[in-house]
Amino acid sequence: RATQDKMFRWMEDAARGHWEWPGDKPTWMHTMRSTDLQDALKSASQILSTVDPRIKFQPLSSDKSVRDIANNIENNLEWHLKNASRRLKSNLVARTTYSALLYGKVAAKVVYIPWQKKLLKDMGQDVKHLEAAERYGPFTVMVRNPSHIYETFSDYGLEEVLEMKKWSIVEFKSFW
């Protein structure tokens, strides 16, 4: 994992245009930073984000009523995805596309707002911000930086996910 962390830091620095000359730079040399990577990532994520994701739900049989249920599920998921994207500062598809282009993977957390409200109420917290957020549907999608995510896989698939991130007290309290 240390190698991956180092690689992610290098990729983030490259995407931001941060680069330092290794060692002592000769006085006669002038360094220039290219924005090619930043431009490519931004352009590609903007172009690819114009394509609506195709959500596919596999029906469990070929029966017409089961296929109709599967189509209904697909339509509902697409509707919830569009509503969840409306609540964000930037397009959800653009954010996930950018993450996929930069890191080769996407880390996102889907939160069911009514359940989050119940948890906060049980802890005696204010839930006005969640009630306002529900105007855009019952789900929110939080795209995370994959360099903060540690996952464990087994032969059966994904087993555990851990997010390690430094939060300020305000960020922590606003989430919980």
Side-chain angles (χ1 to χ4, degrees), residues 3 6 22 41-42 52-53 69 91 94 99 112 124 141 143 157 164 167:
T3 305
K6 185 176 179 181
L41 286 169
K42 186 175 181 181
D52 286 334
I69 291 170
N91 184 318
S99 179
Y112 183 57
V141 180
V143 179
M164 284 184 31
W167 275 1

Side-chain angles (χ1 to χ4, degrees), residues 98-118:
Y98 184 87
S99 179
L101 290 168
L102 181 60
Y103 299 105
K105 62 178 167 178
V106 176
K109 180 179 183 176
V110 178
V111 175
Y112 183 57
I113 296 173
W115 179 252
Q116 191 75 14
K117 270 181 20 184
K118 181 190 177 315

Side-chain angles (χ1 to χ4, degrees), residues 129-144:
H129 65 290
L130 291 176
E131 289 168 352
E134 268 188 307
R135 288 180 300 196
Y136 297 110
F139 296 98
T140 186
V141 180
M142 302 172 185
V143 179
R144 301 296 193 208

Side-chain angles (χ1 to χ4, degrees), residues 76-133:
N76 282 322
L77 289 173
E78 286 175 9
W79 183 80
H80 283 300
L81 180 66
K82 285 180 181 174
N83 278 337
S85 186
R86 287 176 46 204
R87 82 175 73 245
L88 301 172
K89 291 181 211 170
S90 62
N91 184 318
L92 179 61
V93 177
R95 291 174 72 181
T96 55
T97 303
Y98 184 87
S99 179
L101 290 168
L102 181 60
Y103 299 105
K105 62 178 167 178
V106 176
K109 180 179 183 176
V110 178
V111 175
Y112 183 57
I113 296 173
W115 179 252
Q116 191 75 14
K117 270 181 20 184
K118 181 190 177 315
L119 291 175
L120 287 175
K121 279 182 182 176
D122 290 348
M123 292 190 306
Q125 299 291 322
D126 184 29
V127 294
K128 288 179 186 168
H129 65 290
L130 291 176
E131 289 168 352

